[in-house]
Amino acid sequence: TMHTQQPKTGYWLRDGKIYQVAVAPLGNRDQLAGYLVLGLAIAQSQLQNVKRVSDSDLVMLDTSGGKYTPIIATLDAQRLVQLTQALAGRPVLPNNGFNLNLGGEHWLAYAAPLDTGGSTSIALTLTSLDQAMGGFRAILFALFGAALLGLLLAMALSLWLSRQVAKPLRNLAHAAQAAARGDYQLDFKATKGGGEIGQVSRAFDSLLSD
């Protein structure tokens, strides 16, 4: 800003806090008289508002000294400890998304520098892949359960229908066996209807009666 004399905005790390800062030059015509600096400390409530909209957790980290120290975050204390442990083995964070394992749960993270190159602070956006996929898994399980239930009902219905269809044939078989033994007095109920099984059963009933 001091070289270009143009308004600038950015982030400033000071005394363990992150400030959003705007700097604008002050002057009369071409004469620079000074700078107007406005700073607003980023509060927990602001991150929570962003989380409600994006459904992702946010963590702002102090990266000075080669360590990742959380300054402000939407994660709870346990998750923050797991996060710092997971980042300890990553001296340089990739610019694109990368995977993290926090307490056995899979997360997708995106790192954005808050200063030039992220030498002093970065903002980390975290999304739980397990939670995001939980809804899809529930739908898959529900579909699988419905398909299994439908299959069992179809099998039960087909078994019942096959028994109903085969019942006249069983009656014919029993009557034929009884007639072969000389018993023509079997109480045989002929099947009603115009199908082939009905015609055969009525003809056989007539034969037994004769």
Side-chain angles (χ1 to χ4, degrees):
T1 299
M2 293 182 180
H3 296 288
T4 62
Q5 305 300 326
Q6 296 295 327
K8 294 290 184 179
T9 61
Y11 294 92
W12 182 36
L13 176 63
R14 180 74 176 180
D15 297 330
K17 292 183 179 181
I18 290 285
Y19 296 87
Q20 190 172 12
V21 179
V23 180
L26 297 176
N28 184 11
R29 296 181 180 178
D30 296 334
Q31 185 67 32
L32 179 64
Y35 294 90
L36 174 65
V37 180
L38 299 176
L40 177 65
I42 298 177
Q44 180 77 19
S45 58
Q46 293 174 295
L47 297 189
Q48 292 293 345
N49 290 335
V50 176
K51 179 181 178 179
R52 279 192 292 269
V53 175
S54 63
D55 200 23
S56 297
D57 283 284
L58 299 174
V59 181
M60 292 190 171
L61 300 166
D62 181 358
T63 59
S64 59
K67 296 181 180 180
Y68 298 100
T69 305
I71 303 172
I72 187 171
T74 59
L75 293 174
D76 54 32
Q78 182 180 1
R79 287 292 189 205
L80 280 178
V81 173
Q82 295 170 351
L83 176 64
T84 53
Q85 292 174 350
L87 294 178
R90 296 175 177 265
V92 178
L93 299 181
N95 294 328
N96 53 357
F98 58 96
N99 294 319
L100 284 176
N101 190 304
L102 304 181
E105 187 175 349
H106 296 87
W107 292 69
L108 182 63
Y110 288 90
L114 296 179
D115 60 346
T116 305
S119 58
T120 61
S121 57
I122 61 171
L124 206 61
T125 304
L126 299 164
T127 302
S128 174
L129 294 178
D130 291 343
Q131 293 181 7
M133 294 299 294
F136 294 101
R137 292 193 184 100
I139 294 175
L140 290 178
F141 287 145
L143 292 176
F144 177 77
L148 181 60
L149 180 60
L151 178 61
L152 293 176
L153 290 176
M155 292 176 61
L157 182 61
S158 63
L159 180 61
W160 179 80
L161 289 175
S162 64
R163 288 186 175 182
Q164 293 300 315
V165 172
K167 186 177 180 180
L169 296 178
R170 290 197 301 269
N171 293 337
L172 281 172
H174 293 159
Q177 292 174 356
R181 295 191 301 268
D183 181 8
Y184 303 102
Q185 304 300 322
L186 183 67
D187 185 12
F188 175 71
K189 295 181 180 179
T191 302
K192 298 179 180 180
E196 289 80 0
I197 295 178
Q199 294 175 2
V200 172
S201 62
R202 288 193 296 273
F204 192 74
D205 183 49
S206 177
L207 178 63
L208 291 180
S209 298
D210 293 343

